[in-house]
Amino acid sequence: MGRIKNYFKEQFQIRKFKLEHDSSYDFYESCFQNNRSALPLLIIRGLLFLACLGIILVSFILTSTVLSLRFWPIYLTHWGLVLITVASGFGFAVSAKAFYGGPVDSAFGLPWYIKAYWVSYSTAIPIAIFITVFYWIFLTNDNQEFAVSYALDILIHAVNSVLMLVLLFTASHPSNLLHFYFAIILAVIYVIFNVIYYFAGGTDPFGNAFIYPVLDWSNPGVAGITVVFSAILIIILHIIVTLMTEARDAIARSCGRNTRKFSLSQY
């Protein structure tokens, strides 16, 4: 219990709200490698980035054959696709910078592109998992169709999370509990967009006056409950992601790899 108490004491400090970390190496080295080469993560993140771009391209093509592409941007799922592409893209850029330019100097704080990667990473992973969980539990039982094919359904509502879990488990940098607000900010922005879209008379591709039936603002009670429940679920998922990071580091240590300074097992 003492280790857990000290871990949470460390996590719940004001500085943990910020984008501060002692070593830039952790952002372009895998926790499972025994050298300081940026190449392993450069390859992995490059493949992840290409996979994310491929999913977006497939989504564009298949959606355009059945529906109008003007409806593509209204769905949170597609916001999530853009987000995982940005996260994997920044991760690839960080690894490329370290591989081709040498070790990144963080003596005066992390460079902006590492911070951008960390923000997108901390946002994309819980949001991707949220989209997967929410879709398969709460939306697939509805009569509404949200994907033009079952294959695309799997790509955008399941493979999206798998790709982000690969990004998480191959990384070495921390996931701070107090970084939950990144994902919450994105969720709030989407809710604001959803409300504006509804009151502006926007419809889904089938003519319904809502984007998702559980966010039908003609029934504000249900929509409001959905928003609150979603916010709680996102925070819970962020906590789970943080704990998965700790599990990742524990596995890496058991394999003989030294990991970051602050870890649950140290306390």
Side-chain angles (χ1 to χ4, degrees):
M1 289 299 293
R3 291 180 177 179
I4 296 175
K5 180 179 178 180
N6 288 333
Y7 169 75
F8 283 103
K9 182 179 179 181
E10 166 63 29
Q11 281 291 314
F12 287 101
Q13 296 184 21
I14 296 298
R15 66 185 182 86
K16 289 294 184 177
F17 276 108
K18 303 176 183 179
L19 295 166
E20 296 179 352
H21 188 61
D22 294 337
S23 173
S24 63
Y25 287 99
D26 288 341
F27 291 91
Y28 50 85
E29 293 177 4
S30 172
C31 63
F32 294 103
Q33 66 184 86
N34 291 312
N35 55 48
R36 296 218 127 171
S37 171
L39 182 59
L41 278 191
L42 177 66
I43 295 173
I44 293 171
R45 290 171 175 177
L47 293 174
L48 290 176
F49 182 49
L50 290 175
C52 291
L53 287 175
I55 292 176
I56 288 183
L57 181 60
V58 170
S59 178
F60 275 151
I61 294 173
L62 292 182
T63 301
S64 66
T65 62
V66 179
L67 306 171
S68 172
L69 276 178
R70 70 187 179 91
F71 291 106
W72 196 90
I74 71 174
Y75 290 106
L76 180 62
T77 294
H78 297 153
W79 286 38
L81 292 182
V82 173
L83 184 59
I84 67 173
T85 304
V86 169
S88 58
F90 268 116
F92 177 68
V94 169
S95 295
K97 177 67 170 64
F99 182 73
Y100 292 106
V104 176
D105 183 12
S106 58
F108 298 99
L110 297 173
W112 70 268
Y113 50 89
I114 289 183
K115 291 183 178 180
Y117 161 65
W118 201 2
V119 170
S120 59
Y121 169 99
S122 299
T123 309
I125 296 177
I127 290 295
I129 299 173
F130 168 80
I131 288 170
T132 297
V133 170
F134 200 89
Y135 180 78
W136 292 108
I137 293 180
F138 298 104
L139 294 179
T140 52
N141 293 326
D142 196 88
N143 293 326
Q144 190 82 7
E145 292 291 337
F146 294 99
V148 297
S149 74
Y150 181 71
L152 181 59
D153 225 10
I154 296 299
L155 283 175
I156 65 180
H157 295 119
V159 176
N160 63 322
S161 291
V162 172
L163 294 176
M164 288 299 96
L165 288 176
V166 172
L167 185 65
L168 184 155
F169 283 111
T170 56
S172 183
H173 58 80
S175 294
N176 291 346
L177 283 174
L178 294 185
H179 283 175
F180 72 91
Y181 66 93
F182 295 140
I184 291 297
I185 288 174
L186 179 74
V188 169
I189 292 173
Y190 182 77
V191 169
I192 293 173
F193 162 77
N194 197 285
V195 172
I196 293 174
Y197 188 81
Y198 171 79
F199 284 103
T203 66
D204 72 354
F206 311 100
N208 298 305
F210 52 75
I211 299 175
Y212 296 106
V214 292
L215 282 178
D216 183 358
W217 295 100
S218 65
N219 190 349
V222 173
I225 291 173
T226 299
V227 169
V228 173
F229 172 79
S230 297
I232 294 172
L233 180 57
I234 289 171
I235 293 173
I236 291 173
L237 290 173
H238 175 77
I239 294 172
I240 292 174
V241 167
T242 304
L243 295 178
M244 284 193 292
T245 302
E246 293 299 322
R248 175 202 71 193
D249 292 346
I251 294 171
R253 278 188 301 274
S254 71
C255 297
R257 171 73 164 89
N258 292 324
T259 53
R260 57 190 174 79
K261 181 179 178 181
F262 298 111
S263 177
L264 181 58
S265 64
Q266 286 184 292
Y267 298 107

